[in-house]
Amino acid sequence: MKRKFKMGLIGLSAAFLVACSSGSGDKLTVGTDAAYAPFESLDGDKIVGFDVDLLDAVMKEAGLDYELKNKGWDPLFIALQNEEVDAGISAITINDDRKKSYDFSSPYFESINMILAKEGTSIKSAKDLEGMKVSVQNGTTGQAALEKMFGKSENIKKYENNVLAIQALLNGEVEAVVADNAVVQEYEKNNPDKKLVTISDKENFESEFYGIIFPKDGEHQEEINKAMKKIIDDGKYTEIYKKWFGEEPNVDVLKQ
Ligand code: ARG
C-alpha cells in the first residue's frame, strides 16, 4: 500500500516536470511598436505588417515558438535591456550606437529617412528644415539625423510614436515630419485627403538597414540568422516583400 502510494507521487512529479519544461517555457517573446505601417500596425487588436510576416517566416523556418507583443518604442528597448523580451522587430535600424547595447540579426530591409510635409511647402531638402519645427518619433534615426545636421534643438519635437509625430503635422504644430521613407510614403498614399507631399534627400540622409534586435549576447541570433538567410534565398522573403510593397525586392543589397 505504502509503496504504491510512493510510486504514484514519483509518477506525478515526473509528469509535472515534463509539463513545465515543454510548452510555454520555450516560447520566445518578441516585442514591437505597432504604430509604424506598413512594417507593424494594429488591425483591431491584431498586429500586422511586413515585419510581422517576416518574423513569422523566420521563426517557422528556425522551428521557434514565439509570441509578438506590442510594447511601444521606448519600452521595447528597456524590455530588451531587462531581458523581459527575447527579441524585437520594429523597423529598427542597425547602427553603431545601438550595437553597443544590443545585438542584431543580419540586415533584412534597406531604408532612408524622408520628409513629410503639407502640399505647397517650400521644403526641397533636409537643409531647409533648419529653424523650422519638425516632428520625429523619440529616439529614432530621424531624430539623430536632424540633430547631426542642426545640433540638439527645441525645434525638433519628439513624440512617443510616429502616429503622434504625423498628427503634429496635421495639427499645424510642426512644418514637417522626418521618418523612414516607406512609412511616410505609405501614409501619404493612404491619406490623399490630407494633401501631403514627401521629399527625399539622398545627400543629407543616409541609407540604413533594419535588423531583428536582441539583448546583448542572447541565445538565438545564430539560428535566426540562418533562417533569415534561408528565406531570402528560397523566395519566401520575396513573396512577403511583394505582398506589402507590390514590387520585387533587391535582395542583393542585403547580402553585402
Ligand atoms: N528605423 C528607425 C529607427 O530605427 C525608425 C524605427 C521606428 N519603428 C517603429 N516601429 N516605430 O530609429
Side-chain angles (χ1 to χ4, degrees), residues 115-124 129 132 175-176 197 199:
I115 302 162
L116 182 69
K118 288 193 174 158
E119 249 177 47
T121 178
S122 63
I123 302 164
K124 292 199 172 55
L129 299 174
M132 285 184 184
E175 282 182 70
V197 289
I199 301 125

Side-chain angles (χ1 to χ4, degrees), residues 41-188:
S41 61
L42 288 176
D43 181 2
D45 54 11
K46 213 172 157 245
I47 310 171
V48 297
F50 174 82
D51 281 353
V52 178
D53 288 353
L54 179 79
L55 176 73
D56 194 61
V58 166
M59 296 307 244
K60 280 210 174 99
E61 179 61 45
L64 293 169
D65 197 10
Y66 74 98
E67 183 184 8
L68 182 61
K69 279 199 181 155
N70 188 15
K71 304 285 285 183
W73 182 249
D74 293 330
L76 170 58
F77 290 90
I78 295 166
L80 284 158
Q81 285 184 14
N82 299 339
E83 299 188 23
E84 239 174 78
V85 294
D86 301 286
I89 190 161
S90 210
I92 301 173
T93 300
I94 305 168
N95 63 25
D96 289 341
D97 198 34
R98 290 177 183 155
K99 275 198 215 158
K100 287 182 215 150
S101 314
Y102 310 96
D103 284 343
F104 283 95
S105 71
S106 51
Y108 70 83
F109 194 91
E110 188 178 16
S111 174
I112 186 167
N113 274 295
M114 200 175 202
I115 302 162
L116 182 69
K118 288 193 174 158
E119 249 177 47
T121 178
S122 63
I123 302 164
K124 292 199 172 55
S125 81
K127 293 281 182 215
D128 295 333
L129 299 174
E130 182 150 29
M132 285 184 184
K133 286 190 176 132
V134 184
S135 63
V136 293
Q137 180 178 14
N138 186 48
T140 56
T141 56
Q143 178 186 338
L146 289 173
E147 288 179 350
K148 195 173 156 201
M149 276 185 285
F150 310 126
K152 285 198 196 305
S153 157
E154 285 273 289
N155 283 328
I156 303 170
K157 305 287 177 201
K158 294 167 275 185
Y159 293 85
E160 178 185 325
N161 65 50
N162 200 59
V163 171
L164 293 174
I166 293 179
Q167 202 58 49
L169 172 68
L170 302 179
N171 294 343
E173 287 165 40
V174 298
E175 282 182 70
V177 184
V178 172
D180 294 353
N181 58 340
V183 173
V184 298
Q185 285 172 321
E186 171 91 356
Y187 190 85
E188 181 203 16

